Amino acid sequence: MNVQIETSWKAVLQEEFDKVYFEQLVQFLKKEKQEEQIIYPEGSNIFNAFNQTPFDQLKVLLLGQDPYHGPGQAHGLCFSVQDGIKFPPSLQNIFKELQDDVQKPIPASGNLVHWAQQGVLMLNASLTVRANTPMSHSKIGWEIFTDRVIEIVSQKKEHVIFILWGRFAQEKERLIDTSKHEILKAAHPSPFSAHQGFFGCKHFSQTNYILKMLGKEEIVW
C-alpha cells in the first residue's frame, strides 16, 4: 500500500503497510468517511508525528493514547493542539511541570511541533478518533501498528529516551529493549492523576541530562 509518510519511516514501516490488518484499517476509515462521520485529525495530519520527526533524527519517544476528539484540537502529535486552541487539562499540567522543571514560561500556543522537529516522536497509540467519541478507533488496528513502531524503534535504534506517562503508556515497556534504551516513567498529566507523581517528575530536565551525557543536542522545550 502506498502511504504518504516521510521517507525514512516508509523504509522501516513498509512491511506493516502491506499487511492485512493495515488494509482493513484503511477500509474502516473509508467506511467512516462514507457514513459522513467526522474523524480527527484530518487526513493530512494522521501521520504528522512521523513527518515531523524522521526516523533517522528520532531521539525521544513520547507516548500518548488517543487523539483529542474536539474540533480543531488534534493534529497528529500526542498532547499537542493547533494554534489558537484552548489548552486541554493534560496539556495545562504538562506546561505547569515544564515551568517548574526548566523555568520555561507557559507558552501562548499549545502547538508542540517545535518538540517534534527536534527529534521527539509524539506518538499516540491510536492515530485517529471519531468526533466527540474518545477511544472510538482504539480497536481498529492502530495499536497493532503503533506497537510495531515502538518495537522497530527499539530494535533498529540505540539510546532512545522513551517517556511513558500513565499506566497505559507504561504497559508498552514490554516492547522496549531496556538494555539499550532509557525509560522515564511517571503518572499521567491528567487532572485525575497529575498529583500522584507527574508533578515533580522533572522529565524535561532528565531527558536533556541524558541527551547531554550521550553527546546529543538537548531539546529546547
Side-chain angles (χ1 to χ4, degrees):
M1 177 171 293
N2 186 28
V3 174
Q4 298 302 309
I5 193 170
E6 189 276 330
T7 314
S8 61
W9 278 111
K10 192 157 198 170
V12 295
L13 292 174
Q14 186 59 56
E15 280 185 20
E16 296 308 303
F17 299 138
D18 293 335
K19 288 179 180 173
V20 172
Y21 83 85
F22 200 88
E23 175 60 33
Q24 290 170 339
L25 192 163
V26 170
Q27 293 308 319
F28 178 92
L29 292 174
K30 284 180 178 173
K31 187 166 178 282
E32 291 275 83
K33 285 286 188 190
Q34 285 164 3
E35 293 173 0
E36 299 187 348
Q37 298 291 347
I38 297 170
I39 305 300
Y40 298 129
E42 61 184 50
S44 61
N45 278 331
I46 290 174
F47 293 104
N48 197 23
F50 302 90
N51 294 334
Q52 298 291 346
T53 310
F55 182 75
D56 46 17
Q57 294 172 29
L58 191 164
K59 299 188 284 194
V60 180
L61 193 154
L62 175 60
L63 187 64
Q65 189 164 2
D66 198 40
Y68 295 123
H69 53 84
Q73 293 179 308
H75 63 130
L77 308 178
C78 68
F79 298 108
S80 178
V81 292
Q82 300 188 66
D83 294 322
I85 297 293
K86 183 183 173 190
F87 302 165
S90 290
L91 185 57
Q92 284 182 31
N93 287 337
I94 288 168
F95 286 147
K96 284 180 189 170
E97 174 60 21
L98 187 60
Q99 185 177 41
D100 182 61
D101 184 13
V102 297
Q103 291 71 57
K104 181 181 171 72
I106 291 176
S109 172
N111 190 330
L112 303 178
V113 70
H114 60 290
W115 294 7
Q117 290 170 347
Q118 296 177 79
V120 183
L121 180 68
M122 304 182 66
L123 181 68
N124 272 317
S126 295
L127 299 191
T128 57
V129 69
R130 191 185 280 187
N132 306 314
T133 318
M135 304 304 293
S136 48
H137 287 179
S138 64
K139 300 285 194 290
I140 69 169
W142 279 130
E143 267 199 55
I144 304 171
F145 175 71
T146 53
D147 279 2
R148 281 295 295 142
V149 170
I150 295 166
E151 287 175 332
I152 287 166
V153 169
S154 176
Q155 290 162 8
K156 293 184 178 287
K157 295 189 76 74
E158 291 187 355
H159 303 303
V160 172
I161 303 164
F162 289 84
I163 300 178
L164 308 178
W165 291 335
R167 191 180 65 195
F168 174 86
Q170 288 164 21
E171 286 171 355
K172 304 296 183 182
E173 187 174 353
R174 63 188 163 78
L175 306 171
I176 303 163
D177 182 347
T178 53
S179 70
K180 61 173 186 164
H181 299 288
E182 309 290 337
I183 296 182
L184 300 179
K185 294 188 281 192
H188 195 276
S190 151
F192 301 108
S193 54
H195 288 281
Q196 296 166 20
F198 175 74
F199 289 134
C201 71
K202 301 198 179 300
H203 280 179
F204 304 103
S205 58
Q206 281 191 49
T207 295
N208 277 347
Y209 176 78
I210 294 166
L211 289 172
K212 191 175 179 181
M213 291 299 101
L214 292 169
K216 296 181 181 180
E217 203 167 330
E218 296 173 47
I219 307 296
V220 180
W221 301 105

